[in-house]
DNA sequence: CAGAATCCTCTACGATACTG
DNA sequence: CAGTATCGTAGAGGATTCTG
């Protein structure tokens, strides 16, 4: 985490911090879902699209490209006709899967507390 | 995680899954930064704004409201003049901090691999 | 100091149509 | 099947101004 000092000696999370750039990428609505879906086993485009409900073809393509670009996902074109494309997690991707799934576990575990807090809020 | 079966017996991440709703909230560009900033110690609005560089007053207010609403952050109005408002993590918030910081740790640890992958991509 | 309100811009994203 | 290309729109979010 790249930081710069400020008057009160707080750590400042710089705008141009590369870590923040990475965090922005993976703090994405679809990234977590796709990564988790791919963790089970390699999957083809259509199957992913069915599994990650509500994602558009455009967003799935776009998000997968980003993940491929960052070395998190592997894209393999199968020499069939018509073409099939299989996506899988890379080693790096599998290492990211660990904290991602912990985040999901936290969500599942605390969904009730959050729902309760929301109900309480504004009364 | 609320799921529905599909033809190929894949787990489907439903659109209306409450867990997904929570995941969407915390998969937010600012949430992680704010949560981590508050983990050190309770902080006031101005100080948070300085620390989380690049956030606008509007977004900081908005994000803090969301976190407060979800029971992750506590908002305390100090009886000073002019008013001061101190934000701190709730117990629930501190429990979320754990996986969040792991995500940041992962980012810091793997920023180099990602940068390398990006450089490689498209060649 | 900590915000609420307003306006305005820009881009993320969906919908649709087309291709190797 | 797995995309690319184009267009159109809603909403996220910045800048600015005002207040208890």
């Amino acid at each position: 985490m790249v930081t710069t000092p400020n008057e009160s000696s707080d750590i400042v999370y710089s705008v141009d911090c590369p870590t923040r750039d990475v965090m922005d990428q993976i703090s994405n609505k679809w990234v977590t879902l796709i990564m988790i879906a791919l963790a089970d086993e390699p999957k083809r485009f259509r199957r992913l699209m069915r599994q990650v409900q509500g994602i558009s073809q455009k967003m799935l393509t776009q998000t997968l490209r980003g993940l491929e670009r960052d070395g998190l996902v592997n894209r393999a074109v199968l020499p069939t006709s018509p073409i099939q494309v299989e996506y899988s997690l890379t080693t790096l991707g599998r290492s990211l899967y660990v904290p991602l799934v912990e985040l999901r576990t936290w969500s599942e575990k605390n969904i009730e507390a959050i729902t309760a807090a929301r109900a309480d809020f504004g009364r």
Side-chain angles (χ1 to χ4, degrees), chain A:
Chain A
M1 176 76 68
V2 172
T3 57
T4 56
N6 75 345
E7 326 96 71
S8 57
S9 82
D10 265 333
I11 289 172
V12 173
Y13 307 116
S14 306
V15 182
D16 53 353
C17 174
T19 308
R20 203 159 126 175
D21 182 62
V22 172
M23 288 292 288
D24 285 0
Q25 295 291 326
I26 61 186
S27 291
N28 174 305
K29 181 176 173 157
W30 300 118
V31 165
T32 312
L33 287 171
I34 293 177
M35 293 287 294
I36 291 178
L38 283 179
D40 303 334
E41 55 180 331
K43 276 166 192 166
R44 289 190 293 108
F45 192 87
R46 282 274 157 192
R47 193 166 162 208
L48 267 177
M49 186 138 174
R50 261 180 283 117
Q51 187 167 7
V52 182
Q53 209 178 75
I55 196 171
S56 66
Q57 180 265 327
K58 181 179 178 179
M59 284 315 294
L60 182 53
T61 302
Q62 189 173 308
T63 308
L64 283 170
R65 282 293 169 285
L67 292 173
E68 191 195 354
R69 183 190 144 183
D70 287 355
L72 297 167
V73 158
N74 201 283
R75 179 176 183 269
V77 180
L78 307 181
T80 54
S81 173
I83 277 175
Q84 298 189 338
V85 179
E86 189 170 79
Y87 292 94
S88 56
L89 294 189
T90 62
T91 305
L92 188 61
R94 246 171 284 121
S95 77
L96 173 57
Y97 171 76
V98 177
L100 284 186
V101 103
E102 282 185 59
L103 211 58
R104 192 189 60 176
T105 303
W106 184 92
S107 296
E108 290 172 348
K109 204 166 154 187
N110 297 99
I111 174 80
E112 226 170 291
I114 291 182
T115 307
R118 286 187 184 172
D120 264 22
F121 193 69
R123 263 187 324 107

